[in-house]
């Protein structure tokens, strides 16, 4: 069976004379409807000795806030030092308030607090009956009702706080003799102060007396206005609170909508990109099927050699922007790559396959690379050409070459050719110096492609390919193209090949200068061309905006393979020792071999 946990009220072992702390009245308030507690300790003197059943077993004080627990009786006036009951050492668990015991305590009779006095020095908080005070005994639960109207309750004179303390029973007599009675109209400015007799005489002559009804009405009106103003203030505060909450809600909705719109835009962009890539891939697959059918119809499927299939063998990663140009130094198995990050990276293509060094010096995108002897030449959007010593990979000279970006470079016969807007400059190479020899004119657009083969220089500008005699620097032939500006040129033993802005690859016979074929398959600008020749066959590689590389057999002018590994437009090609290197907008360089 559960036992009682009872909170004690302090009492003496005899007729109780102890102070009741402020918590006691608050704890009994809900049970006995007592008024608010006071800050000062309340005297508690019982008329008869309380039953021991209503007292704490530890401190012998009357319980306060009695509750039922599952262990035993403990008083909160002497709270246990732990969560265990100090009586039986069981775990202390409160079940419910003990209203029955609280009501029994409320029925105990006590002396009115105005009939009690402090017991004396050495007994703090202990009280005894005062024979000069209130003689009444009352129930503990009703003490507040009695004490609030008790004739022995100390009061202050309402006229002047400096008057001596009074008992409530003496207040009426004091007011008849008080010399500090104020005029009831003192709040309006009347300065009268006197006794009861002069007060009545003053009222007959007070100038405010005749206006009291008007003044009262004015006060009432002011009071009503004050109440109305307070109500309006509350309404305004409420409206401001609602407005604040509404504003917060609107802000949350705006942020939520912005986030959803951002996600929607991002998803839409991604879907659009995926759709475009899917369409490109589908077009390439269709082209591959067409080429296979053509090979079958021509009866040359047997020439498709599995050993000649190019596969991606690795990827060079390191640039922080698109790769625009590549150049190979075969003597040292080095690959140079130029990028939008304004640097040139040097890659080992033989042993470590890692970046050996990053060359910094340009203030713009590196657009062109070329090697002559042991020197590397780089052209940039900053309109300069920088000369680098390949042996120690150091910059040795900088030349302000053009008024516009240097788009392409090629070297031959100890000369360097640089292409820019409507101009090709010819430079004599003298050690680390470049001396301008001549400027080739008659070009009407950007010179994006330069190739030197044997004693000829091939330049691509707009829809023309000009062939220059390197010995005389004279233009000896012009080839007209279609399908947009020329972006790339390659020369084989038997053909001149160019890639155009509008996805086409044109092929001319190198001897007759007659166009013999137009190769189709790409669905984007053909940015670069490269050639690998063997005694048995010649292959041309094309790189395109459509992210693909294509392998073309020049024996029968068909595409034998499509290489798809880059995640961006393929912009540059280079070949060395039967290997193909490709640079792309995805900032990588890939290595392809059979």
């Amino acid at each position: 069976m559960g036992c009682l946990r009872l909170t004690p009220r302090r009492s003496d072992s005899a007729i109780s004379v102890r102070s009741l702390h402020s918590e006691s009245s608050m704890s009994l308030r809900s049970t006995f409807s007592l008024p608010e507690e006071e800050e000062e300790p309340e005297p508690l003197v019982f008329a008869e000795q309380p039953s021991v059943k209503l007292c704490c077993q530890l401190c012998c004080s009357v319980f306060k806030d009695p509750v039922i627990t599952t262990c035993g009786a403990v008083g909160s006036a002497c709270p246990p030092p732990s969560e265990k009951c100090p009586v039986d050492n069981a775990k202390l668990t409160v079940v419910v308030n003990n209203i029955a015991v609280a009501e029994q305590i409320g029925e105990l009779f006590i002396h009115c607090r105005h009939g009690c006095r402090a017991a004396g020095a050495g007994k703090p908080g202990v009280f005894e009956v005062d024979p000069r005070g209130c003689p009444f005994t009352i129930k503990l639960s009703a003490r507040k009702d009695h004490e609030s109207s008790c004739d022995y309750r100390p009061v202050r004179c309402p006229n002047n706080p400096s008057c001596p303390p009074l008992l409530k029973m003496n207040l009426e007599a004091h007011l008849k003799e008080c010399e500090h009675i104020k005029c009831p109209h003192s709040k309006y400015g009347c300065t009268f102060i006197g006794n009861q007799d002069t007060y009545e005489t003053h009222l007959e002559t007070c100038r405010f007396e005749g206006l009291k009804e008007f003044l009262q009405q004015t006060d009432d009106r002011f009071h009503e206005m004050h109440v109305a103003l307070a109500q309006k203030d509350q309404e305004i505060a409420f409206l401001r609170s609602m407005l604040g909450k509404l504003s917060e809600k609107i802000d949350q909705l705006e942020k939520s909508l912005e986030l959803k719109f951002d996600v929607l835009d991002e998803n839409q962009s991604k879907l659009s990109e995926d759709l475009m890539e899917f369409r490109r891939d589908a077009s390439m697959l269709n082209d591959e099927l067409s080429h296979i059918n053509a090979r079958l119809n021509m009866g040359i499927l047997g020439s498709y050699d599995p050993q000649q299939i190019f596969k991606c063998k690795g990827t060079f990663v390191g640039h922080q922007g698109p790769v625009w140009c590549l150049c190979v130094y075969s003597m040292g198995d080095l690959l140079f790559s130029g990028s939008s990050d304004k640097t040139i990276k040097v890659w080992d293509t033989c042993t470590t396959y890692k970046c050996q060094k990053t060359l910094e010096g340009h203030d713009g995108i590196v657009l062109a690379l070329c090697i002559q002897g042991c020197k590397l030449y780089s052209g940039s959007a900053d309109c300069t050409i920088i000369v680098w010593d390949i042996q120690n990979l150091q910059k040795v000279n900088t030349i302000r070459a053009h008024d516009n970006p240097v788009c392409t470079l090629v070297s031959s016969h100890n000369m360097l050719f640089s292409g820019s807007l409507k101009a090709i400059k010819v430079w004599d190479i003298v050690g680390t110096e470049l001396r301008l020899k001549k400027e080739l004119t008659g070009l009407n657009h950007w010179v994006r492609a330069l190739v030197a083969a044997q004693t000829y220089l091939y330049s691509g500008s707009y829809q023309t390919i000009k062939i220059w005699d390197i010995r005389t620097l004279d233009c000896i032939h012009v080839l007209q193209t279609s399908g947009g500006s020329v972006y790339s040129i390659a020369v084989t033993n038997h053909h001149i090949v160019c890639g155009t802005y509008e996805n086409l690859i044109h092929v001319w016979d190198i001897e007759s200068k007659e166009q013999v074929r137009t190769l189709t398959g790409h669905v984007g600008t053909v940015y670069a061309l490269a050639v690998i020749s063997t005694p048995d066959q010649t292959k041309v590689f094309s790189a395109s905006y459509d992210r693909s590389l294509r392998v073309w057999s020049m024996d029968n002018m068909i595409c034998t393979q499509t290489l798809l590994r880059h995640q961006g437009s393929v912009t540059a090609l280079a070949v060395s020792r039967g290997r193909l290197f490709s640079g792309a907008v995805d900032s990588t360089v890939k290595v392809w071999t059979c």
Side-chain angles (χ1 to χ4, degrees), residues 431-447:
T432 60
E433 299 291 328
L434 291 180
R435 296 178 183 174
L436 182 62
K437 182 174 184 178
K438 186 176 181 180
E439 182 172 342
L440 307 183
T441 58
L443 305 157
N444 58 2
H445 209 270
W446 288 98
V447 180

Side-chain angles (χ1 to χ4, degrees), residues 186-197:
S186 59
K187 61 181 178 180
Y188 303 120
C190 183
T191 59
F192 170 81
I193 297 177
N195 56 28
Q196 186 68 30
D197 295 336

Side-chain angles (χ1 to χ4, degrees), residues 409-542:
L409 293 171
V410 70
S411 64
S412 181
H413 293 71
N414 208 37
M415 291 183 291
L416 180 70
F417 301 87
S418 60
S420 184
L421 178 62
K422 299 182 181 180
I424 300 173
K425 288 188 177 182
V426 185
W427 309 83
D428 278 328
I429 300 174
V430 183
T432 60
E433 299 291 328
L434 291 180
R435 296 178 183 174
L436 182 62
K437 182 174 184 178
K438 186 176 181 180
E439 182 172 342
L440 307 183
T441 58
L443 305 157
N444 58 2
H445 209 270
W446 288 98
V447 180
R448 293 190 174 92
L450 285 175
V451 173
Q454 297 180 352
T455 59
Y456 299 103
L457 174 70
Y458 300 84
S459 66
S461 175
Y462 193 48
Q463 294 186 351
T464 62
I465 294 176
K466 288 192 173 185
I467 305 175
W468 309 79
D469 189 321
I470 291 180
R471 294 164 296 185
T472 63
L473 299 178
D474 293 328
C475 179
I476 60 174
H477 206 94
V478 178
L479 304 178
Q480 297 294 333
T481 71
S482 60
S485 296
V486 176
Y487 269 72
S488 54
I489 297 175
V491 178
T492 72
N493 292 334
H494 303 289
H495 298 101
I496 303 167
V497 187
C498 85
T500 68
Y501 175 77
E502 294 183 0
N503 321 335
L504 302 177
I505 299 174
H506 298 298
V507 183
W508 289 268
D509 184 276
I510 198 169
E511 296 294 338
S512 66
K513 307 297 188 296
E514 296 292 331
Q515 184 170 342
V516 295
R517 189 68 61 91
T518 296
L519 308 179
T520 60
H522 281 298
V523 291
T525 300
V526 181
Y527 282 128
L529 294 168
V531 179
I532 293 182
S533 294
T534 65
D536 299 330
Q537 60 182 343
T538 298
K539 291 184 180 294
V540 171
F541 300 87
S542 58

Side-chain angles (χ1 to χ4, degrees), residues 211-262:
L211 299 173
K212 65 180 180 180
E213 292 184 1
F214 171 76
L215 294 173
Q216 184 60 44
Q217 292 176 356
T218 303
D219 278 349
D220 293 342
R221 182 59 178 162
F222 277 143
H223 177 71
E224 292 173 359
M225 293 176 65
H226 180 73
V227 172
L229 183 61
Q231 291 177 346
K232 294 298 181 184
D233 287 341
Q234 292 179 353
E235 293 176 2
I236 291 172
F238 174 75
L239 291 175
R240 284 178 177 171
S241 174
M242 294 300 295
L243 183 61
K245 293 179 180 179
L246 182 61
S247 178
E248 291 178 0
K249 187 68 174 179
I250 292 174
D251 289 342
Q252 292 175 356
L253 289 174
E254 287 180 349
K255 292 178 181 178
S256 176
L257 286 175
E258 288 176 0
L259 181 61
K260 290 179 180 178
F261 280 132
D262 290 343

Side-chain angles (χ1 to χ4, degrees), residues 172-392:
E172 185 176 354
H174 169 77
L175 291 177
K176 293 180 181 180
E177 300 174 355
C178 183
E179 297 291 337
H180 301 93
I181 299 176
K182 293 182 180 180
C183 176
H185 308 302
S186 59
K187 61 181 178 180
Y188 303 120
C190 183
T191 59
F192 170 81
I193 297 177
N195 56 28
Q196 186 68 30
D197 295 336
T198 56
Y199 169 76
E200 293 176 355
T201 304
H202 166 74
L203 287 180
E204 296 175 357
T205 59
C206 182
R207 56 177 177 164
F208 295 101
E209 183 66 15
L211 299 173
K212 65 180 180 180
E213 292 184 1
F214 171 76
L215 294 173
Q216 184 60 44
Q217 292 176 356
T218 303
D219 278 349
D220 293 342
R221 182 59 178 162
F222 277 143
H223 177 71
E224 292 173 359
M225 293 176 65
H226 180 73
V227 172
L229 183 61
Q231 291 177 346
K232 294 298 181 184
D233 287 341
Q234 292 179 353
E235 293 176 2
I236 291 172
F238 174 75
L239 291 175
R240 284 178 177 171
S241 174
M242 294 300 295
L243 183 61
K245 293 179 180 179
L246 182 61
S247 178
E248 291 178 0
K249 187 68 174 179
I250 292 174
D251 289 342
Q252 292 175 356
L253 289 174
E254 287 180 349
K255 292 178 181 178
S256 176
L257 286 175
E258 288 176 0
L259 181 61
K260 290 179 180 178
F261 280 132
D262 290 343
V263 172
L264 183 62
D265 291 342
E266 183 178 351
N267 291 339
Q268 185 176 2
S269 300
K270 187 175 181 181
L271 286 174
S272 298
E273 293 176 359
D274 292 344
L275 180 60
M276 291 178 62
E277 187 172 355
F278 173 77
R279 287 176 176 173
R280 285 197 297 267
D281 293 344
S283 176
M284 291 178 189
L285 289 174
N286 288 332
D287 291 342
E288 288 294 319
L289 290 174
S290 298
H291 288 309
I292 291 173
N293 288 331
R295 291 168 64 86
L296 288 171
N297 294 333
M298 295 173 65
I300 58 172
L301 189 61
S303 66
Y304 190 75
D305 186 359
Q307 298 299 322
Q308 295 298 315
I309 297 296
F310 279 82
K311 298 178 181 179
C312 181
K313 296 297 184 179
T315 303
F316 292 137
V317 178
H319 279 296
Q320 301 301 312
V323 176
W324 293 109
C325 52
L326 296 172
C327 187
V328 175
Y329 180 60
S330 300
M331 297 293 293
D333 286 310
L334 298 179
L335 174 69
F336 299 88
S337 59
S339 168
S340 290
D341 61 15
K342 305 178 185 179
T343 69
I344 302 167
K345 289 191 178 291
V346 186
W347 308 92
D348 179 359
T349 65
C350 182
T351 55
T352 65
Y353 298 96
K354 293 182 179 179
C355 178
Q356 287 195 341
K357 191 170 183 180
T358 298
L359 308 182
E360 298 180 351
H362 281 294
D363 294 327
I365 298 171
V366 182
L367 296 171
L369 293 171
C370 173
I371 289 177
Q372 173 68 27
C374 293
K375 300 292 186 296
L376 170 71
Y377 300 89
S378 59
S380 168
D382 62 12
C383 309
T384 67
I385 297 174
I386 293 182
V387 185
W388 309 84
D389 189 321
I390 296 179
Q391 300 300 323
N392 54 28

